[in-house]
Amino acid sequence: MSSIRCNDLCKTFEQGGETIVGLDHVSLSIEEGEFVCLSGPSGSGKTTLLNAMGGLDTPDSGRIQVGDAVLTDLSRGQLADMRLQNVGFVFQAYNLVPVLSARENVEFVMQVQGVDARQRSQRVQEVLAEVGLEGLESRLPAELSGGQQQRVAVARAIASKPKLVLADEPTANLDTRSAAQLMGLFVSLNQRGITFVIATHDSRVMGYARRLVKLQDGRMISDEAQEPTAMVV
Amino acid sequence: MRLPLATLLRLAWRNLWRNYRRTLIMLLAIAVGVWAMIAMSAFLRGMTDQMVRSGLNTLPGEVQIHQSNYRADPSVVNSMPPPDGDLLDALNQPPITAWTSRVRVPAMVSSEYDSRGVILLGVDPEGETAIGALPDTIVEGRFLSDADDRGVVLGQRLVERLDTAMGKRVVLMSQDPDNNVADRGARVVGIYRARLRSTEDTLVYAARNPTQSMLKLGSAVSEVAVIGGDYRHSESLVPPLAAAVTNMQLVQSWQQLDPYLGSMLKVQDGFTLIFMVVIFLALSFGLVNTLVMAVFERMREIGLMQALGMRPGLILLQVLIESVLLLSLGLIVGNVAAWLTIKPLESGIDISAVADGMEMMAMGTTLYPALDGRDMLTSTAIVVGLGILASLLPAWRAARLDPIRALAKT
């Protein structure tokens, strides 16, 4: 079963009286368990495509299906439920809730899902250990480094065991070492069956992908399978 | 899906203290507003209570039974037999707490220098004590000792007008049922002060038995005065008594006896509500501004929560919880402050400097603020109810944010 299926997506924006093409007839299928990079220069449409796959943005035309759900047919509330149950997001700017500790940020999605406290606590311990943040659970985001914050964001994204993780420029604010550690974590999680779609223009990140989709001016200009070239640390 | 109330509460609480200065200022504004609502209603209620009690003191009695023509012609002709049989049984049943019967007729009182028209009350001192209808203060001498006391108790102002004094004799004069002059001499055994100086001019107290003898009434009385637990609910005393009186007798609550006095309570309740709403309206601008700013500052976070799968309804709920927390804190501080500052004043505030003006409003020289739990509840309901309404706009705006745009905010 196809994990994500995008058919003929089009999206335009109005900016300063000018019409900008975000997506121009993009069609793409991503199978479960794939590790895909969407690449291209700024304004190429990779973030727009990623947001559309996550149900954060609605295309002007076309159809997106994630699992059994046709996103273009869902209401705002249903889209929120779909994201809650199926999608983990990792953003460039970490986007942690500043008034919640690392543990509480990771717990947040599960709390909204209604997972009971004991299960939550166990799962939080597991994922924080997995991302290497043991001992930092009670720190607020402001008390963590950029790399640590991004790890908390990853822990939050995977805590509820989503089928799909969408990451938008996840290494943009990280140093080389932190970026390599993060990508290693992504690869390891992908090997356990989580589908990863990463929007990036960082060639180091592309080296981890087994499939590279290139976009330019909203159009998909190539879609190629590749052997990962980057070394997992 | 279960409502993650604990999560929303924790988030709301922590968000409140992110900008603690703004929260404290808003908290202070709410607390002062709540305090003002309660203080204002306590003063207003105190004033109204005094006006009503002053009015009741001139009746006196919360419910009265008369011969049916007495109100039109309050003379001895319209007297009635003292309570007996069913009426006596009804008078001794709860919720009636006390009753007394008295003679009440228009009369003249004369000293050697002057004469004044008054209302002569022929009372049983024990009964008047039971219904709390004794004069406010006996400034000289004593009140009547029993229903056979032959003395008379006058108001201080009347004593001044008659140019008489304690121990002097005055003449009481009225008409008997045959329209003959009925009079007797009586010694002034006591002088009283009333909250209203006009009462001192009007009411003359004599014992019931000598008054009945003077007026040739036998055991007949003009009225039966009754009290219950709370003068505000005295209308509930009427039905059982009305069922027990004869066709020739009429049972009326003080609201019926003095409709103006009765309407004052309703007017007071209305004014209290209006004042509370006006105070809250002023407050609501600050509240809305605080929440709008809080939403504006956290737009990115709200977008994030939407991206993570929080439904718009939960976002709306979270902003409302923040508002309710702020309002609740303000309410607690405001209510406690009101209790601490107004409770000690319930023993009375001296307003003798403006006594003449206050007398026009049927008030005495002391104002007794009345802190009422219902007013505290009303102010709480108004602040919470209207507060939530005022918070709906910023909360709705937060819930309607486009996650992409919100996440793009720096």
Side-chain angles (χ1 to χ4, degrees):
Chain A
M1 184 185 74
S2 177
S3 186
I4 305 170
R5 196 183 296 272
C6 303
N7 285 329
D8 203 22
L9 300 184
C10 292
K11 176 84 181 176
T12 55
F13 307 97
E14 291 296 322
Q15 201 170 50
E18 220 178 309
T19 301
I20 294 168
V21 178
L23 295 174
D24 188 3
H25 300 281
V26 173
S27 294
L28 176 72
S29 287
I30 298 173
E31 303 303 320
E32 267 183 55
E34 278 199 85
F35 194 112
V36 181
C37 264
L38 307 177
S39 70
S42 287
S44 60
K46 54 189 187 299
T47 297
T48 307
L49 181 58
L50 197 76
N51 287 337
M53 288 177 184
L56 288 175
D57 208 353
T58 316
D60 298 335
S61 64
R63 187 175 190 270
I64 310 170
Q65 188 170 345
V66 175
D68 296 329
V70 179
L71 305 195
T72 35
D73 292 346
L74 301 182
S75 66
R76 276 171 66 98
Q78 287 169 326
L79 282 172
D81 289 346
M82 189 282 298
R83 290 194 294 270
L84 183 68
Q85 303 300 338
N86 301 310
V87 186
F89 282 98
V90 179
F91 301 95
Q92 175 181 346
Y94 325 135
N95 281 338
L96 300 177
V97 182
V99 291
L100 298 181
S101 67
R103 154 182 286 279
E104 289 164 341
N105 264 291
V106 174
E107 232 180 350
F108 182 79
V109 174
M110 287 189 285
Q111 281 177 320
V112 179
Q113 282 179 330
V115 176
D116 76 60
R118 202 170 51 82
Q119 272 182 292
R120 246 173 23 224
S121 175
Q122 199 180 340
R123 180 68 183 146
V124 168
Q125 287 297 343
E126 281 171 21
V127 290
L128 282 175
E130 199 164 356
V131 299
L133 287 176
E134 285 160 308
L136 301 177
E137 297 93 336
S138 52
R139 291 208 188 166
L140 291 173
E143 297 165 340
L144 297 170
S145 69
Q148 288 168 333
Q149 287 189 53
Q150 194 59 299
R151 282 167 176 271
V152 175
V154 173
R156 178 182 64 193
I158 62 169
S160 60
K161 300 181 179 170
K163 297 171 186 137
L164 171 67
V165 171
L166 301 175
D168 188 10
E169 305 282 7
T171 58
N173 290 341
L174 300 181
D175 57 49
T176 310
R177 184 178 160 76
S178 299
Q181 284 174 339
L182 182 73
M183 291 315 298
L185 183 62
F186 280 2
V187 170
S188 137
L189 292 167
N190 174 247
Q191 282 165 357
R192 273 182 268 156
I194 300 176
T195 309
F196 271 80
V197 182
I198 301 171
T200 186
H201 60 260
D202 184 340
S203 55
R204 292 169 303 174
V205 172
M206 294 173 212
Y208 291 90
R210 280 183 275 121
R211 182 175 166 193
L212 189 61
V213 176
K214 287 186 181 164
L215 293 141
Q216 193 171 28
D217 299 328
R219 282 192 315 267
M220 200 167 82
I221 54 171
S222 73
D223 179 2
E224 291 168 359
Q226 64 174 28
E227 274 305 309
T229 53
M231 185 95 74
V232 174
V233 288
Chain B
M1 189 190 305
R2 279 190 301 142
L3 194 65
L5 207 55
T7 311
L8 296 182
L9 266 172
R10 182 167 51 201
L11 265 175
W13 178 256
R14 291 186 190 173
N15 281 332
L16 268 186
W17 300 106
R18 286 167 83 161
N19 191 332
Y20 68 92
R21 278 197 194 90
R22 187 175 61 204
T23 298
L24 284 177
I25 290 169
M26 194 56 221
L27 205 58
L28 190 67
I30 295 170
V32 169
V34 170
W35 178 88
M37 286 180 193
I38 297 170
M40 181 275 308
S41 56
F43 280 100
L44 202 57
R45 192 172 290 283
M47 283 171 66
T48 313
D49 274 359
Q50 273 175 268
M51 286 187 241
V52 172
R53 283 182 201 284
S54 298
L56 288 177
N57 277 347
T58 60
L59 286 173
E62 295 166 15
V63 170
Q64 291 183 359
I65 305 169
H66 297 109
Q67 207 266 6
S68 51
N69 293 327
Y70 176 83
R71 295 269 290 155
D73 176 16
S75 69
V76 285
V77 183
N78 292 317
S79 302
M80 61 183 186
D84 60 0
D86 289 348
L87 180 55
L88 195 58
D89 289 343
L91 285 168
N92 291 320
Q93 296 291 324
I96 291 168
T97 54
W99 64 274
T100 190
S101 60
R102 62 169 84 96
V103 175
R104 179 191 182 107
V105 289
M108 289 283 288
V109 58
S110 304
S111 69
E112 60 267 51
Y113 298 108
D114 207 348
S115 299
R116 310 289 294 188
V118 295
I119 291 171
L120 175 62
L121 296 174
V123 300
D124 170 10
E126 203 179 320
E128 297 296 320
T129 306
I131 69 162
L134 292 180
D136 295 331
T137 319
I138 299 293
V139 289
E140 251 187 283
R142 59 173 175 81
F143 193 65
L144 304 162
S145 56
D146 55 46
D148 293 312
D149 194 322
R150 297 198 60 79
V152 67
V153 177
L154 306 180
Q156 191 172 47
R157 196 142 95 167
L158 184 61
V159 167
E160 289 161 11
R161 290 188 196 278
L162 293 173
D163 199 9
T164 187
M166 261 294 295
K168 288 198 168 184
R169 285 182 73 82
V170 292
V171 175
L172 301 171
M173 192 164 61
S174 187
Q175 287 191 352
D176 67 17
D178 299 324
N179 295 326
N180 296 314
V181 171
D183 59 4
R184 77 175 176 92
R187 197 170 298 282
V188 178
V189 296
I191 300 172
Y192 72 87
R193 283 290 315 260
R195 286 184 191 170
L196 296 184
R197 304 296 313 265
S198 57
T199 305
E200 296 172 15
D201 259 341
T202 313
L203 298 183
V204 170
Y205 291 87
R208 188 174 60 201
N209 293 346
T211 307
Q212 285 171 326
S213 299
M214 178 186 98
L215 298 170
K216 298 184 179 67
L217 280 174
S219 61
V221 294
S222 309
E223 67 190 17
V224 175
V226 176
I227 60 163
D230 181 358
Y231 75 85
R232 287 171 176 266
H233 303 115
S234 54
E235 274 170 336
S236 65
L237 306 178
V238 173
L241 295 174
V245 296
T246 66
N247 290 341
M248 295 300 290
Q249 291 169 333
L250 200 59
V251 183
Q252 289 173 300
S253 68
W254 65 267
Q255 289 97 329
Q256 293 165 303
L257 290 163
D258 191 340
Y260 169 73
L261 210 56
S263 65
M264 277 180 58
L265 281 183
K266 287 180 188 157
V267 169
Q268 185 243 317
D269 286 345
F271 269 125
T272 304
L273 202 63
I274 289 168
F275 274 124
M276 285 182 173
V277 171
V278 167
I279 290 173
F280 182 81
L281 284 180
L283 207 65
S284 63
F285 289 103
L287 178 69
V288 171
N289 181 53
T290 300
L291 291 173
V292 166
M293 285 308 293
V295 168
F296 183 75
E297 284 170 2
R298 297 208 309 272
M299 225 178 243
R300 192 186 176 95
E301 262 171 67
I302 292 168
L304 168 73
M305 285 172 187
Q306 290 183 325
L308 294 180
M310 223 163 148
R311 274 181 163 251
L314 284 182
I315 303 276
L316 183 128
L317 188 62
Q318 201 216 314
V319 177
L320 288 184
I321 287 175
E322 227 169 289
S323 164
V324 169
L325 278 179
L326 190 62
L327 292 168
S328 303
L329 283 175
L331 276 166
I332 291 169
V333 177
N335 275 289
V336 170
W339 197 86
L340 289 176
T341 53
I342 298 166
K343 201 71 185 168
L345 298 177
E346 283 190 324
S347 54
I349 303 166
D350 183 9
I351 52 168
S352 51
V354 289
D356 287 343
M358 298 311 276
E359 172 135 14
M360 290 175 70
M361 296 166 68
M363 287 187 59
T365 55
T366 308
L367 173 61
Y368 301 91
L371 196 60
D372 191 312
R374 283 169 302 177
D375 291 333
M376 294 172 104
L377 281 178
T378 307
S379 61
T380 299
I382 286 174
V383 169
V384 173
L386 294 185
I388 289 175
L389 267 182
S391 312
L392 274 175
L393 178 67
W396 183 80
R397 285 182 63 178
R400 298 300 302 169
L401 280 177
D402 175 0
I404 295 292
R405 284 167 188 251
L407 279 166
K409 289 278 172 189
T410 51

